[in-house]
Amino acid sequence: MSQTVQAKQQQIIEQNVKNIKHYINGEFVDAASGKTFANMNPFTNDVINQVAEGEEADIDKAVEAADRAFKGPWGRLKVKERLAYINNIADIIDEHIEEIAPLESYDTGLPISQTRKMVARAANNFRFYAEMVSARMAGEAYQVDDEFINYTVRKPVGVAGLITPWNAPFMLETWKLAPALATGNTVVLKPAEWSPITANRLAEIIDKAELPAGVFNIVHGYGETAGASLVAHPDVKLISFTGETKTGTDIMKNGADTLKRTSMELGGKSPIIVFDDADFDRALDACTWGIFSFNGERCTANSRLFLHADIYDEFVQALKERVDRIVVGDPMDDATQVGPLISTTHFKNVQRYLDMAKEAGATIYSGHVADAFKRGNFIPPTLLLDVTNDMTVAQEEIFGPVLAVMSFKDEDEVIELANDVKYGLAGYVWTRDIQRAHRVAQAVDSGMFWINSQNVRDLRTPFGGSKSSGIGREGGHYAFDFYTETQIIHVALTDHHIPQFGKK
Ligand code: NAD
C-alpha cells in the first residue's frame, strides 16, 4: 500500500472513529442504562471504540419516535417529496464512498477493493427504490359487470424493524432501509454488534439529508436484548431480518405474539456444479471469487464444489495454484484479496470446522498467512478435499474462506447431491450444454441460480432463499409486498341490489 494512501486512510479513521451512540429521534444519544461494549478491530484485535448497549428502554424510545414520525410529518409527505429525500441520501452516500469504504474495512476486515463496490451499491439501493416507487408501485383495478369498480392501493405498514448481520453491513442495511423508507414506513435499525461503525455513518448521512426526526432510528446492542425487544414490540409492524437460520427461527417465535410480519434472509451452503464441457478458466475464476470474496463471509458463497470426475484432478490442481497466490493481508490495502474474519469468536468457529474436517478424514489444502498478520483473525483460503456430502463440513454453513470439493459422474447424481442439504439459497452451474444447464438450474432447490455466471444480479430481480435459507423475497417490486399493506377498495357504480333484511 502506498504511504499516501495509508496516511489518507489513517486520517479518515482518526476523524471518523468515535464512540458509537444510538440515533433516536434525530439525535445521537447514549444508552438509557449508560452501558457500553467494546468493538474490536479484526486485523489487530485491538479495541476500536465503545458502543452504546441498547436494551428494551432504548428500543421503546426509538419505536415511539418512529411511530410519531409515521403518524406525523413523514406520513403527511407527498410521494414526490418523500422520494426527493431518498435520492438525496443516495447522492450524499456517493460523495462519501472514499471515506465509508475504509471505515467498513477497518470495522469488518473486508478488503477495501470490495467495500468500495459495496458502498457504491448502497447508494444505488436508494436511487433504485426511489425510481421503483415512482414508476412501479401501482395498484390493480377490476371492473365488475359495470356495477362496481374494485381497486387496490399500497400503503406503508408503519414502524419497520430492520435487523442486520455483520458480513456486508452498510450494503445490507441500505438494502432494507431504501425500500422501507421509499414506500413510506419509518424505521428502527438494530445493526450487528460486531460491525456498528458504518451504521452510524448512515445515520449521519440521513441527518445531513434532513429527514424529519424519528423517521430513521438506530439502536445498537446485542441480539438477545436489543434485537429481541424490537421483535417483541407491539408497535413494530414488521421485521426484516438477515442472519443465521437459527436466529431467524427465534425471531419468528418471539414475533408470534404480536403477529409480526417477517422477511427471512438466512444462511446458505450453495452448490457450484462444473461439468466436463465447461469453460474451464471462467468456471475457475467464478468458483474462486464466489468462495473467497468477502473473506468467504458471504451468504451466497459457492461453498460446495461438485466437479465432473473427468476434470477433477486438473481443476483441483488449478484451484490449489489460485489458493497459493491469493493475496491475504491488511484489509485496508488495495492489493488484499482476503482479509481477517470479523471476530475471534467467528475465527474459532471456522477453525473448529477445519478440525472437524480433519477428524472426518478430509484433506486440507490451505494458502498462506504472513507471520506479520498473526494477531488478526486470519483463516487462509482453504480447500477441503476427499470430502463426502454427508460430512458436517459439507452440510453446515462455515461462513469463511473454505471450499468443500467433491466429484460426480452424471447429471442425476449431482442434482441429488446438490439438493441433499438443508439450505436452498443459491446455486451455480457451468456447462456449454444449454439444455442441461436449464435442466440442472430448475432441478436444484434454491431461490436463486446462475448459469455460466458469477454471482451478479440486477436490482429488479427477486432475492431470497428456499428451504432453511429463508422465507419471502426482497428486491425489485417484490419488496412492495413486504413493506406495504395492500388495501382493496370496492366502489358501487350503480344502485345495485342490497338484500333488505327486516324491511316492511
Ligand atoms: P446472526 O443471526 O448471529 O445475527 C444477525 C443479527 O440478528 C444481528 O444484528 C444480531 O444481533 C441479531 N440477533 C441475534 N439474535 C437475535 C434475537 N434473538 N432476536 C433478534 N435479533 C437477534 O447472524 P450473523 O452471524 O450476524 O450473520 C451471518 C449469517 O447471516 C450467515 O448465516 C449468513 O448466511 C446470513 N446472511 C444471509 C443473507 C441472505 O440474504 N440470505 C445475507 C447475508 C448474511
Side-chain angles (χ1 to χ4, degrees), residues 341-461:
L341 298 181
I342 184 81
S343 69
T344 48
T345 309
H346 187 49
F347 168 84
K348 283 182 195 153
N349 266 344
V350 176
Q351 193 61 57
R352 193 173 50 86
Y353 276 113
L354 298 185
D355 295 342
M356 243 186 252
K358 245 186 257 167
E359 276 161 31
T363 305
I364 297 184
Y365 187 91
S366 288
H368 182 67
V369 180
D371 284 345
F373 301 145
K374 286 280 153 69
R375 280 174 72 199
N377 307 316
F378 281 99
I379 297 279
T382 298
L383 305 175
L384 302 181
L385 307 169
D386 304 313
V387 168
T388 54
N389 201 43
D390 57 350
M391 288 183 189
T392 307
V393 289
Q395 291 291 319
E396 293 185 7
E397 185 183 41
I398 297 176
F399 220 55
V402 181
L403 177 65
V405 187
M406 289 166 272
S407 81
F408 69 93
K409 290 201 181 60
D410 60 39
E411 189 179 321
D412 287 345
E413 183 195 8
V414 78
I415 288 169
E416 203 178 314
L417 287 168
N419 286 337
D420 184 15
V421 69
K422 74 171 182 174
Y423 294 107
L425 189 57
Y428 309 82
V429 70
W430 285 83
T431 173
R432 284 195 172 94
D433 178 340
I434 196 69
Q435 290 182 327
R436 173 161 68 188
H438 286 277
R439 275 198 309 271
V440 171
Q442 293 186 27
V444 171
D445 301 328
S446 66
M448 299 170 282
F449 200 90
W450 281 265
I451 295 176
N452 294 333
S453 169
Q454 63 135 323
N455 179 329
V456 275
R457 63 175 285 275
D458 187 280
L459 291 180
R460 290 169 297 185
T461 61

Side-chain angles (χ1 to χ4, degrees), residues 164-166 190 193 241-244 247 265-267 299 397 463:
T164 48
W166 45 261
K190 208 303 279 168
E193 49 271 42
F241 172 72
T242 298
E244 282 181 29
T247 316
E265 301 285 0
L266 309 174
C299 57
E397 185 183 41
F463 185 97

